[in-house]
């Protein structure tokens, strides 16, 4: 019989699903923490049962939201220690999971900080910066630049239907940064009349060809920025680069409940609520990562460096995941 998943782990999975825990980086760290808790709380059998149970937990976590690849990348990073090693005892296996999860969380936190330092160098006093949704990588850049004495103004979109732009506006205001909240539909007008100098957004997934999957509306903003020759910058940790796209697997765009758009739609009206869209590499000037700034066309190189797997190996990995799923 399958071992029961601890309540706290199920709660984390539910919180990711319902977006109480949100943001691609936070989701990844929460998933790593959930695997750590699952390993620590396991007390009902031997090593083989433990391995099967951890695979169950991994599947539960990965199934919560489909788009941000940071989630399966974090889970696979931790699970790889179990999948690729032979352990003599349950305690050794448990310890390896806890260490890997801690390692991932630490790396991720440092990466966001490093992106802040690297990206802050791009900001100039006098900039008028537009951002969309809420990205901790973008916030890290803006807050670091501000603390280093640069003075600028940020325009934050509301980001319907979940209004994550309010989180951004609140956090920036708290840091003392002048911020103006604007409706999503005002983007072109704001870029034009406020003479925006830079757009900076986060990412949920970066594909092998350098396209960026981010909060719905990002691609429209990229188009508007292109129209006015405003540089379009993406800030992201490298674990949001998708190894699956190396073999051409499309990124699934999450479709969220219609009630998020309209609670009680009048009869006869259908509602669609896609949560993300894809911005092609041609519209992206640079991607700021913890490893440095790259042009979007170099995404495949980053993937190769990180995973060091040939396309055939990635394909095999996917097949194995699917068959255990
Ligand atoms: O990792 P950080 O930079 O914090 O966030 C990255 C992205 O995650 C968010 O998705 P959601 O709000 O979880 O749907 C937004 O799309 C944001 O740009």
């Amino acid at each position: 019989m399958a071992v029961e998943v601890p309540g706290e782990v199920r709660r984390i999975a539910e919180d990711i699903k319902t977006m109480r825990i949100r943001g691609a980086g936070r989701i990844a760290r929460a998933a790593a923490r959930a695997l750590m808790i699952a390993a620590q709380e396991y007390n009902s059998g031997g090593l083989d049962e433990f391995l099967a149970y951890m695979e169950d937990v991994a599947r539960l976590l990965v199934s919560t939201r489909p788009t941000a690849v940071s989630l399966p990348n974090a889970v696979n990073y931790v699970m790889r220690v179990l999948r690729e090693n032979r352990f003599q005892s349950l305690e050794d296996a448990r310890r390896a999971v806890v260490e890997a999860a801690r390692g991932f969380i630490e790396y991720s936190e440092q990466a966001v900080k490093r992106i802040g330092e690297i990206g802050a160098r791009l900001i100039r006093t006098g900039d008028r910066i537009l951002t969309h949704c809420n990205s901790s990588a973008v916030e890290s850049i803006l807050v670091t630049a501000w603390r280093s004495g640069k003075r600028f103004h940020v325009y934050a979109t509301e980001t319907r239907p979940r209004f994550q732009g309010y989180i951004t506006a609140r956090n920036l205001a708290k840091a003392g940064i002048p911020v103006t909240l604007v409706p999503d539909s005002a983007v072109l007008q704001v870029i034009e009349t406020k003479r925006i100098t830079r757009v900076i957004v986060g990412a949920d997934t970066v594909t092998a060809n350098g396209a960026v999957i981010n909060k719905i509306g990002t691609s429209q903003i990229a188009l508007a920025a292109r129209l006015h020759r405003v540089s379009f910058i993406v800030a992201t940790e490298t674990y949001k680069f998708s190894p699956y796209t190396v073999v051409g697997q499309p990124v699934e765009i999450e479709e969220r409940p219609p009630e998020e758009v309209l609670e009680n739609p009048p009869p006869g009206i259908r509602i669609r609520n896609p949560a993300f869209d894809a911005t092609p590499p041609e519209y992206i000037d640079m991607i700021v990562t913890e490893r440095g700034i790259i042009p979007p066309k170099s995404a495949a190189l980053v993937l190769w460096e990180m995973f060091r797997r040939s396309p055939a190996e990635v394909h095999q990995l996917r097949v194995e995941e699917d068959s255990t799923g």
Side-chain angles (χ1 to χ4, degrees), residues 3-59:
V3 181
E4 208 183 313
V5 175
E8 197 177 347
V9 173
R10 269 187 280 117
R11 231 175 348 264
I12 292 173
E14 190 56 24
D15 284 352
I16 294 173
K17 205 175 200 153
T18 54
M19 291 178 68
R20 269 192 293 273
I21 297 173
R22 54 144 298 279
R26 278 196 193 89
I27 289 171
R29 290 190 292 276
R33 191 161 51 83
L35 288 167
M36 181 162 80
I37 295 167
Q40 285 167 331
E41 301 219 337
Y42 178 82
N43 59 6
S44 48
L47 180 57
D48 286 345
E49 289 94 327
F50 176 69
L51 298 179
Y53 151 87
M54 287 303 294
E55 289 294 346
D56 283 348
V57 174
R59 262 194 300 280

Side-chain angles (χ1 to χ4, degrees), residues 22-25 65 133-137 164 203-204 214-215 240 276:
R22 54 144 298 279
R65 289 188 77 188
C133 197
N134 175 251
S135 155
S136 40
Q164 294 98 317
D204 292 82
N214 193 48
K215 183 56 52 195
K240 295 182 195 161
F276 301 97

Side-chain angles (χ1 to χ4, degrees), residues 94-141:
R94 192 201 308 270
R95 199 173 316 116
V97 171
V98 171
E99 263 169 33
R102 281 210 182 109
F104 180 86
I105 294 167
E106 211 168 285
Y107 180 90
S108 172
E109 285 167 352
Q110 285 305 316
V112 175
K113 203 163 156 250
R114 187 84 191 107
I115 289 168
E117 291 159 3
I118 295 171
R121 295 186 210 137
L122 300 170
I123 311 288
R124 304 264 170 276
T125 285
D127 265 345
R128 291 170 299 281
I129 300 162
L130 179 84
T131 190
H132 184 52
C133 197
N134 175 251
S135 155
S136 40
V138 173
E139 277 187 8
S140 177
I141 291 175

Side-chain angles (χ1 to χ4, degrees), residues 262 264-271:
L262 191 58
N264 295 306
I269 296 179
R270 242 183 269 155
I271 288 174

Side-chain angles (χ1 to χ4, degrees), residues 288-301:
V288 182
T289 79
E290 76 280 12
R291 293 167 178 228
I293 298 174
I294 61 156
K297 293 283 184 203
S298 295
L301 291 175

Side-chain angles (χ1 to χ4, degrees), residues 27-88:
I27 289 171
R29 290 190 292 276
R33 191 161 51 83
L35 288 167
M36 181 162 80
I37 295 167
Q40 285 167 331
E41 301 219 337
Y42 178 82
N43 59 6
S44 48
L47 180 57
D48 286 345
E49 289 94 327
F50 176 69
L51 298 179
Y53 151 87
M54 287 303 294
E55 289 294 346
D56 283 348
V57 174
R59 262 194 300 280
L60 169 73
L61 292 166
V62 170
S63 71
T64 51
R65 289 188 77 188
T67 302
V69 77
S70 50
L71 175 58
N73 277 353
V75 169
N76 286 335
Y77 178 88
V78 177
M79 292 301 290
R80 196 167 300 149
V81 296
L82 292 184
R83 292 171 184 154
E84 293 181 0
N85 291 299
R86 291 220 165 279
F87 292 98
Q88 298 304 320

